[in-house]
Amino acid sequence: METQDPYWSTELTVAAAVYGTAGHIQIIRFLRANGPSTRQDIAQSTGLSHGVAAQCLNRLKSAGVVIFPAEDQAARTYILQTQRAADLFQALETYLNSRLRGQPDQAESAVVLPLRGPSRRRKEHPQSSQK
């Protein structure tokens, strides 16, 4: 019998779906770097086929991570909802970090943080992490 995780939520299911697919991450990264773009531009720039790009964009739209303004229905210029993407990422990160520490997540909802830019942390060498 499978044990249910009492700390898993519907929001975490959405976060896992958004960040669990390479195509979704490629699109998020592209939109974050380049701003609003059409599906054709996204597909060409990321190397995703038009069909895969369309499928990923539909899923990201369902999750609230991308939108296209109602007045832009024809061109479908997709816009990244940075705060929503950050909220989902933070929810997943909080859950994973609390489970790694062996502590249940005490928060009812995720802490909201903006998406971070490229990491400037030094790479750890295998010897330095084995103290």
PDB file of all heavy atoms in Angstrom, residues 82-90 93-94 110-116:
ATOM      1  N   THR A  82       6.514  35.952 -14.845  1.00  0.00           N
ATOM      2  CA  THR A  82       7.690  35.687 -14.018  1.00  0.00           C
ATOM      3  C   THR A  82       7.327  35.348 -12.582  1.00  0.00           C
ATOM      4  O   THR A  82       7.881  34.418 -11.999  1.00  0.00           O
ATOM      5  CB  THR A  82       8.642  36.903 -14.059  1.00  0.00           C
ATOM      6  OG1 THR A  82       8.917  37.217 -15.418  1.00  0.00           O
ATOM      7  CG2 THR A  82       9.950  36.599 -13.350  1.00  0.00           C
ATOM      8  N   GLN A  83       6.386  36.069 -12.019  1.00  0.00           N
ATOM      9  CA  GLN A  83       6.025  35.812 -10.622  1.00  0.00           C
ATOM     10  C   GLN A  83       5.413  34.429 -10.450  1.00  0.00           C
ATOM     11  O   GLN A  83       5.716  33.722  -9.495  1.00  0.00           O
ATOM     12  CB  GLN A  83       5.072  36.889 -10.096  1.00  0.00           C
ATOM     13  CG  GLN A  83       4.863  36.808  -8.596  1.00  0.00           C
ATOM     14  CD  GLN A  83       6.155  37.012  -7.837  1.00  0.00           C
ATOM     15  OE1 GLN A  83       6.817  38.028  -7.996  1.00  0.00           O
ATOM     16  NE2 GLN A  83       6.535  36.048  -7.016  1.00  0.00           N
ATOM     17  N   ARG A  84       4.554  34.028 -11.372  1.00  0.00           N
ATOM     18  CA  ARG A  84       3.936  32.691 -11.295  1.00  0.00           C
ATOM     19  C   ARG A  84       5.005  31.611 -11.439  1.00  0.00           C
ATOM     20  O   ARG A  84       5.000  30.618 -10.704  1.00  0.00           O
ATOM     21  CB  ARG A  84       2.867  32.546 -12.377  1.00  0.00           C
ATOM     22  CG  ARG A  84       2.237  31.183 -12.459  1.00  0.00           C
ATOM     23  CD  ARG A  84       1.415  30.857 -11.229  1.00  0.00           C
ATOM     24  NE  ARG A  84       0.705  29.594 -11.454  1.00  0.00           N
ATOM     25  CZ  ARG A  84       0.340  28.788 -10.499  1.00  0.00           C
ATOM     26  NH1 ARG A  84       0.545  29.096  -9.239  1.00  0.00           N
ATOM     27  NH2 ARG A  84      -0.279  27.666 -10.777  1.00  0.00           N
ATOM     28  N   ALA A  85       5.929  31.805 -12.390  1.00  0.00           N
ATOM     29  CA  ALA A  85       7.014  30.843 -12.575  1.00  0.00           C
ATOM     30  C   ALA A  85       7.862  30.753 -11.307  1.00  0.00           C
ATOM     31  O   ALA A  85       8.232  29.656 -10.868  1.00  0.00           O
ATOM     32  CB  ALA A  85       7.880  31.239 -13.775  1.00  0.00           C
ATOM     33  N   ALA A  86       8.122  31.893 -10.694  1.00  0.00           N
ATOM     34  CA  ALA A  86       8.916  31.925  -9.463  1.00  0.00           C
ATOM     35  C   ALA A  86       8.176  31.253  -8.314  1.00  0.00           C
ATOM     36  O   ALA A  86       8.771  30.511  -7.529  1.00  0.00           O
ATOM     37  CB  ALA A  86       9.257  33.369  -9.091  1.00  0.00           C
ATOM     38  N   ASP A  87       6.876  31.504  -8.210  1.00  0.00           N
ATOM     39  CA  ASP A  87       6.077  30.895  -7.140  1.00  0.00           C
ATOM     40  C   ASP A  87       6.108  29.370  -7.234  1.00  0.00           C
ATOM     41  O   ASP A  87       6.278  28.677  -6.228  1.00  0.00           O
ATOM     42  CB  ASP A  87       4.625  31.366  -7.207  1.00  0.00           C
ATOM     43  CG  ASP A  87       4.451  32.827  -6.845  1.00  0.00           C
ATOM     44  OD1 ASP A  87       5.398  33.452  -6.317  1.00  0.00           O
ATOM     45  OD2 ASP A  87       3.345  33.343  -7.111  1.00  0.00           O
ATOM     46  N   LEU A  88       5.928  28.857  -8.446  1.00  0.00           N
ATOM     47  CA  LEU A  88       5.937  27.402  -8.632  1.00  0.00           C
ATOM     48  C   LEU A  88       7.309  26.814  -8.321  1.00  0.00           C
ATOM     49  O   LEU A  88       7.423  25.772  -7.673  1.00  0.00           O
ATOM     50  CB  LEU A  88       5.500  27.036 -10.049  1.00  0.00           C
ATOM     51  CG  LEU A  88       4.029  27.287 -10.362  1.00  0.00           C
ATOM     52  CD1 LEU A  88       3.765  27.076 -11.850  1.00  0.00           C
ATOM     53  CD2 LEU A  88       3.141  26.382  -9.521  1.00  0.00           C
ATOM     54  N   PHE A  89       8.353  27.485  -8.802  1.00  0.00           N
ATOM     55  CA  PHE A  89       9.708  27.011  -8.548  1.00  0.00           C
ATOM     56  C   PHE A  89       9.996  27.021  -7.049  1.00  0.00           C
ATOM     57  O   PHE A  89      10.540  26.057  -6.502  1.00  0.00           O
ATOM     58  CB  PHE A  89      10.726  27.880  -9.294  1.00  0.00           C
ATOM     59  CG  PHE A  89      12.124  27.353  -9.190  1.00  0.00           C
ATOM     60  CD1 PHE A  89      12.572  26.392 -10.067  1.00  0.00           C
ATOM     61  CD2 PHE A  89      12.980  27.807  -8.197  1.00  0.00           C
ATOM     62  CE1 PHE A  89      13.864  25.881  -9.967  1.00  0.00           C
ATOM     63  CE2 PHE A  89      14.264  27.303  -8.090  1.00  0.00           C
ATOM     64  CZ  PHE A  89      14.709  26.340  -8.975  1.00  0.00           C
ATOM     65  N   GLN A  90       9.602  28.094  -6.384  1.00  0.00           N
ATOM     66  CA  GLN A  90       9.857  28.208  -4.937  1.00  0.00           C
ATOM     67  C   GLN A  90       9.094  27.148  -4.158  1.00  0.00           C
ATOM     68  O   GLN A  90       9.605  26.589  -3.191  1.00  0.00           O
ATOM     69  CB  GLN A  90       9.496  29.609  -4.429  1.00  0.00           C
ATOM     70  CG  GLN A  90       9.831  29.821  -2.970  1.00  0.00           C
ATOM     71  CD  GLN A  90      11.307  29.721  -2.686  1.00  0.00           C
ATOM     72  OE1 GLN A  90      12.113  30.214  -3.460  1.00  0.00           O
ATOM     73  NE2 GLN A  90      11.673  29.084  -1.596  1.00  0.00           N
ATOM     74  N   GLU A  93      11.025  23.971  -4.650  1.00  0.00           N
ATOM     75  CA  GLU A  93      12.299  24.054  -3.938  1.00  0.00           C
ATOM     76  C   GLU A  93      12.098  23.952  -2.422  1.00  0.00           C
ATOM     77  O   GLU A  93      12.830  23.237  -1.731  1.00  0.00           O
ATOM     78  CB  GLU A  93      12.998  25.368  -4.295  1.00  0.00           C
ATOM     79  CG  GLU A  93      14.366  25.519  -3.664  1.00  0.00           C
ATOM     80  CD  GLU A  93      15.049  26.793  -4.100  1.00  0.00           C
ATOM     81  OE1 GLU A  93      14.430  27.875  -3.998  1.00  0.00           O
ATOM     82  OE2 GLU A  93      16.205  26.697  -4.530  1.00  0.00           O
ATOM     83  N   THR A  94      11.100  24.632  -1.896  1.00  0.00           N
ATOM     84  CA  THR A  94      10.808  24.584  -0.463  1.00  0.00           C
ATOM     85  C   THR A  94      10.452  23.167  -0.036  1.00  0.00           C
ATOM     86  O   THR A  94      10.940  22.664   0.979  1.00  0.00           O
ATOM     87  CB  THR A  94       9.664  25.553  -0.112  1.00  0.00           C
ATOM     88  OG1 THR A  94      10.075  26.878  -0.447  1.00  0.00           O
ATOM     89  CG2 THR A  94       9.299  25.485   1.358  1.00  0.00           C
ATOM     90  N   ALA A 110       3.709  28.675  -0.497  1.00  0.00           N
ATOM     91  CA  ALA A 110       5.106  28.917  -0.828  1.00  0.00           C
ATOM     92  C   ALA A 110       5.508  30.349  -0.545  1.00  0.00           C
ATOM     93  O   ALA A 110       4.711  31.271  -0.651  1.00  0.00           O
ATOM     94  CB  ALA A 110       5.349  28.607  -2.300  1.00  0.00           C
ATOM     95  N   VAL A 111       6.761  30.535  -0.197  1.00  0.00           N
ATOM     96  CA  VAL A 111       7.330  31.859  -0.063  1.00  0.00           C
ATOM     97  C   VAL A 111       7.581  32.361  -1.477  1.00  0.00           C
ATOM     98  O   VAL A 111       8.079  31.634  -2.323  1.00  0.00           O
ATOM     99  CB  VAL A 111       8.667  31.795   0.719  1.00  0.00           C
ATOM    100  CG1 VAL A 111       9.332  33.149   0.762  1.00  0.00           C
ATOM    101  CG2 VAL A 111       8.420  31.255   2.109  1.00  0.00           C
ATOM    102  N   VAL A 112       7.265  33.597  -1.747  1.00  0.00           N
ATOM    103  CA  VAL A 112       7.396  34.133  -3.092  1.00  0.00           C
ATOM    104  C   VAL A 112       8.728  34.840  -3.223  1.00  0.00           C
ATOM    105  O   VAL A 112       9.021  35.778  -2.484  1.00  0.00           O
ATOM    106  CB  VAL A 112       6.243  35.107  -3.404  1.00  0.00           C
ATOM    107  CG1 VAL A 112       6.408  35.721  -4.768  1.00  0.00           C
ATOM    108  CG2 VAL A 112       4.913  34.398  -3.269  1.00  0.00           C
ATOM    109  N   LEU A 113       9.547  34.396  -4.153  1.00  0.00           N
ATOM    110  CA  LEU A 113      10.817  35.032  -4.465  1.00  0.00           C
ATOM    111  C   LEU A 113      10.910  35.216  -5.966  1.00  0.00           C
ATOM    112  O   LEU A 113      10.403  34.396  -6.725  1.00  0.00           O
ATOM    113  CB  LEU A 113      11.991  34.159  -4.005  1.00  0.00           C
ATOM    114  CG  LEU A 113      12.135  33.941  -2.507  1.00  0.00           C
ATOM    115  CD1 LEU A 113      13.287  33.001  -2.235  1.00  0.00           C
ATOM    116  CD2 LEU A 113      12.376  35.254  -1.793  1.00  0.00           C
ATOM    117  N   PRO A 114      11.576  36.274  -6.432  1.00  0.00           N
ATOM    118  CA  PRO A 114      11.722  36.453  -7.877  1.00  0.00           C
ATOM    119  C   PRO A 114      12.667  35.403  -8.450  1.00  0.00           C
ATOM    120  O   PRO A 114      13.498  34.845  -7.725  1.00  0.00           O
ATOM    121  CB  PRO A 114      12.315  37.858  -8.003  1.00  0.00           C
ATOM    122  CG  PRO A 114      12.961  38.122  -6.686  1.00  0.00           C
ATOM    123  CD  PRO A 114      12.177  37.346  -5.662  1.00  0.00           C
ATOM    124  N   LEU A 115      12.534  35.155  -9.759  1.00  0.00           N
ATOM    125  CA  LEU A 115      13.472  34.250 -10.417  1.00  0.00           C
ATOM    126  C   LEU A 115      14.855  34.850 -10.302  1.00  0.00           C
ATOM    127  O   LEU A 115      15.039  36.059 -10.397  1.00  0.00           O
ATOM    128  CB  LEU A 115      13.109  34.075 -11.894  1.00  0.00           C
ATOM    129  CG  LEU A 115      11.912  33.200 -12.168  1.00  0.00           C
ATOM    130  CD1 LEU A 115      11.612  33.200 -13.665  1.00  0.00           C
ATOM    131  CD2 LEU A 115      12.155  31.786 -11.717  1.00  0.00           C
ATOM    132  N   ARG A 116      15.806  34.013 -10.102  1.00  0.00           N
ATOM    133  CA  ARG A 116      17.183  34.474  -9.953  1.00  0.00           C
ATOM    134  C   ARG A 116      17.874  34.499 -11.300  1.00  0.00           C
ATOM    135  O   ARG A 116      17.551  33.725 -12.180  1.00  0.00           O
ATOM    136  CB  ARG A 116      17.937  33.532  -9.031  1.00  0.00           C
ATOM    137  CG  ARG A 116      17.373  33.507  -7.657  1.00  0.00           C
ATOM    138  CD  ARG A 116      18.171  32.553  -6.787  1.00  0.00           C
ATOM    139  NE  ARG A 116      17.303  32.166  -5.698  1.00  0.00           N
ATOM    140  CZ  ARG A 116      16.860  30.938  -5.507  1.00  0.00           C
ATOM    141  NH1 ARG A 116      17.218  29.976  -6.292  1.00  0.00           N
ATOM    142  NH2 ARG A 116      16.068  30.672  -4.512  1.00  0.00           N
TER     143      ARG A 116
END
